[in-house]
Amino acid sequence: MSGKVRIPGLAMVLALLLLPLSAGVGIAAAADKPSVKLSTSQAGTGGSITVTGSGWRERALLMILVCGQAVPSRGVVGGTSSCANADGRAVTTDGKGRFSRKLPVAEPPVPCPCVVHVATVTGAKAEADAVFRVAGHAVEPLPAEPAGGRLSVLTDPRLDGSNGLLTWFGAPPARTLVLTVGNVGTSAVKDPVFQVGTAHGVFAPQWEEQQWRGTVQPGRKARIELPVELTGGAHGDYTVSLTYGGKVLAEQPWGVGRPWGVTLFWILVCLVVPAAVFRVGMAVVDRVRPRRSGGIRHRGVRWPELALRLPGSKTSSAHGRAYSSAANAANAANAANPANASNLPWFTPDADPGAAGRLSAPHDDSPTSPTTPTRKGPT
């Protein structure tokens, strides 16, 4: 019995202990939602206000703008084209997702109601608005929402496609914006016309109208695919926006890589063209320079011919026989007249490089000639 009483008591204690923890988690989740606060809710043109925020992603780049025709419940109806883009300010959050930035007050291009609009420039989309009144600026009611068909985005948009080889050399990058929309109105939407805008960094987007062929019945959904193309050589951080009926339906960041092929091409041009110009210039100079009429003529120097005898070569054998005959004749002349012994030829048969291992033809005056008798010594 006592055990049954203790179990409910233990459960109650656990519930009391977990209640503050769950409440803290809920408060932390609420605190993580991006928020914006203004130092004052009204100011005139030429003044400035301080904008502070918390709950943003850490180290995130944000854009702060004064926008017209906007309320926090509906957002900026006309998109960033309804904002004073020239007087906007960029800010980067700290490690805790907070920021503080002074913003000059400027009149938006459309009437109020106005807000201070803060949105992320790159990365995951996040935005927040704070009601603000521009003193002296016109105020008009917001345009009424159409009573017929109304399109709403059901899934997060994405950009399908990839860069090709030509894009690496400066061709226009192209993607396909894909998203699913649903008709939350009371009538069908036939062949809707969308406005697709591309913005580079913090600059205002450039809009282009594109018509989607098809019909979206009330309560039904459809898959929308719209082509998006940038200019040739584009690179950096871009944002693709989609609007319909004056309302922004989706925004998708797009990081475009640098076309390194163009850089490589110009490097090659800077190296090849000067080298080609240099070679052409040298060829022209060599052709047009004057030639001297006189000059030193280099006569051919005749070196003594060396008889090279190769085995089986008829030419070398003929040269060898001619050389041996000339050498024998010179030796006979020197023996007959010793005074001319000093006028020896450059080479002698013994000094002939090719004489080693070769026997000359026998002659009548040779000591080893078969005709010369050989005396035998005493035995």
Side-chain angles (χ1 to χ4, degrees), residues 16-27:
L16 292 175
L17 291 176
L18 294 176
L19 182 60
L21 181 60
S22 62
V25 173
I27 294 173

Side-chain angles (χ1 to χ4, degrees), residues 18-19 22 58 82-83 90 100 112 161 169 217 233 238 250-252 261 275 279-280 286 291-292 320 330 335 363:
L18 294 176
L19 182 60
S22 62
E58 61 179 12
S82 302
C83 306
S100 179
C112 286
F169 285 94
Q217 299 295 336
Y238 285 80
E251 289 183 350
Q252 180 67 19
R279 295 196 63 178
V280 171
D286 184 68
R291 302 286 183 178
R292 291 188 297 177
H363 300 280

Side-chain angles (χ1 to χ4, degrees), residues 113-139:
C114 299
V115 297
V116 173
H117 180 71
V118 183
T120 55
V121 177
T122 59
K125 179 183 177 182
E127 58 185 13
D129 298 327
V131 178
F132 181 69
R133 179 179 176 85
V134 181
H137 193 58
V139 179

Side-chain angles (χ1 to χ4, degrees), residues 317-329:
S317 300
H319 283 287
R321 287 193 297 270
Y323 180 80
S324 299
S325 300
N328 292 333

Side-chain angles (χ1 to χ4, degrees), residues 165 167-170 235 256-267:
L165 180 61
T167 305
W168 199 67
F169 285 94
H235 62 276
V256 183
R258 183 181 294 274
W260 292 108
V262 178
T263 305
L264 179 61
F265 171 78
W266 285 114
I267 292 176

Side-chain angles (χ1 to χ4, degrees), residues 132-154:
F132 181 69
R133 179 179 176 85
V134 181
H137 193 58
V139 179
E140 296 181 3
L142 294 176
E145 296 185 5
R150 292 187 296 116
L151 298 180
S152 178
V153 178
L154 302 180

Side-chain angles (χ1 to χ4, degrees), residues 184-327:
V184 297
T186 57
S187 62
V189 177
K190 183 178 181 180
D191 298 337
V193 178
F194 297 93
Q195 286 79 34
V196 180
T198 54
H200 186 198
V202 297
F203 295 97
Q206 298 180 356
W207 299 98
E208 179 184 0
E209 290 189 354
Q210 296 189 17
Q211 187 175 19
W212 181 76
R213 298 292 181 179
T215 302
V216 184
Q217 299 295 336
R220 298 295 182 87
K221 61 182 180 180
R223 176 187 172 93
I224 305 296
E225 296 183 0
L226 301 174
V228 182
E229 184 174 310
L230 302 178
T231 58
H235 62 276
D237 295 328
Y238 285 80
T239 302
V240 180
S241 304
L242 180 68
T243 63
Y244 175 73
K247 181 180 179 180
V248 179
L249 296 182
E251 289 183 350
Q252 180 67 19
W254 182 8
V256 183
R258 183 181 294 274
W260 292 108
V262 178
T263 305
L264 179 61
F265 171 78
W266 285 114
I267 292 176
L268 294 177
V269 168
C270 293
L271 294 177
V272 174
V273 171
V277 172
F278 175 76
R279 295 196 63 178
V280 171
M282 293 300 295
V284 172
V285 170
D286 184 68
R287 181 173 292 274
V288 301
R289 68 179 180 179
R291 302 286 183 178
R292 291 188 297 177
S293 59
I296 300 175
R297 295 183 179 179
H298 299 278
R299 297 180 178 179
V301 180
R302 296 183 179 178
W303 297 96
E305 298 181 356
L306 299 180
L308 300 178
R309 290 166 294 280
L310 298 178
S313 175
K314 297 181 179 179
T315 305
S316 61
S317 300
H319 283 287
R321 287 193 297 270
Y323 180 80
S324 299
S325 300

